[in-house]
Amino acid sequence: MKIVALAGSIVGSKTKIAIHKIVELLNEKYPEHDVTILDLAQYNIAFSDGRNYVDYEGDTKYVAETIMAADALVIGTPTFQASIPATLKNIFDLLPVNAFRDKTVSAIVTAGTSKHYLMVEQQLKPILAYMKAHIVPTYVFIEEKDFLRKEIVNDDVLFRLERLAEDTVMVADAFAEIRAKKDAEYDF
């Protein structure tokens, strides 16, 4: 299984810390899976202009094709102005409407305050549903107070990240099995 862990911002460190932690957990528990980190701060991504994602070049093409080739994604996003950052929205805009069909997508959200904990429900999940993702129902919300010296120090958050890694792989496996059974019904 190909899993992409996407750090959906070009600024800040908390979302990246959380994404690196879940990648560590995925690699420990599921070494047979291919896990790739896409940290948007490491790439020069063009603004979406309506082209097909395969028509872009360079970093934009690499990021879009890596996402499209994934079986599952863990999307990490900070909360900016009670929503997702423009860099993450641009990634969604670069992809086709059905980009997440047959893909499992889970989320990790960082925010400075608990006041934004419903941002995932109101902003991110509707976009993912529109793009046909199999959305892992639970997500991990991490506040400023859960970090200390560039580490997650809240044991409950660490437990929830471990559970999110498991849930992401289990949901992806379940949907792959369902799809394989459905495909087997066809005799061609």
Side-chain angles (χ1 to χ4, degrees), residues 112-180:
T113 173
S114 63
K115 293 178 183 177
H116 296 295
Y117 76 95
L118 286 177
M119 183 276 289
V120 175
E121 301 292 341
Q122 298 168 340
Q123 302 288 323
L124 187 57
K125 283 186 177 182
I127 295 168
L128 297 175
Y130 178 77
M131 296 177 78
K132 314 298 186 276
H134 297 296
I135 303 168
V136 175
T138 56
Y139 55 91
V140 177
F141 183 85
I142 311 172
E143 293 180 64
E144 179 90 24
K145 66 182 181 180
D146 298 321
F147 293 91
L148 179 65
R149 296 187 184 110
K150 299 198 182 258
E151 286 188 38
I152 299 170
V153 293
N154 183 326
D155 288 338
D156 182 55
V157 169
L158 293 170
F159 172 77
R160 288 185 286 128
L161 284 170
E162 186 174 337
R163 181 64 189 261
L164 186 70
E166 291 173 1
D167 288 352
T168 302
V169 171
M170 286 192 311
V171 170
D173 284 344
F175 278 111
E177 188 175 323
I178 292 166
R179 173 61 43 210

Side-chain angles (χ1 to χ4, degrees), residues 69-126:
D71 301 301
L73 291 101
V74 179
I75 296 176
T77 181
T79 305
F80 292 162
Q81 304 294 356
S83 187
I84 62 174
T87 50
L88 181 57
K89 179 63 168 78
N90 186 52
I91 294 297
F92 296 147
D93 291 344
L94 288 166
L95 301 173
V97 171
N98 296 328
F100 298 140
R101 182 177 302 282
D102 297 327
K103 295 182 192 318
T104 297
V105 181
S106 59
I108 300 170
V109 179
T110 58
T113 173
S114 63
K115 293 178 183 177
H116 296 295
Y117 76 95
L118 286 177
M119 183 276 289
V120 175
E121 301 292 341
Q122 298 168 340
Q123 302 288 323
L124 187 57
K125 283 186 177 182

Side-chain angles (χ1 to χ4, degrees), residues 5-20:
L6 177 67
S9 178
I10 59 172
V11 297
S13 63
K14 291 175 181 57
T15 300
K16 293 173 195 178
I17 292 166
I19 285 294
H20 282 278

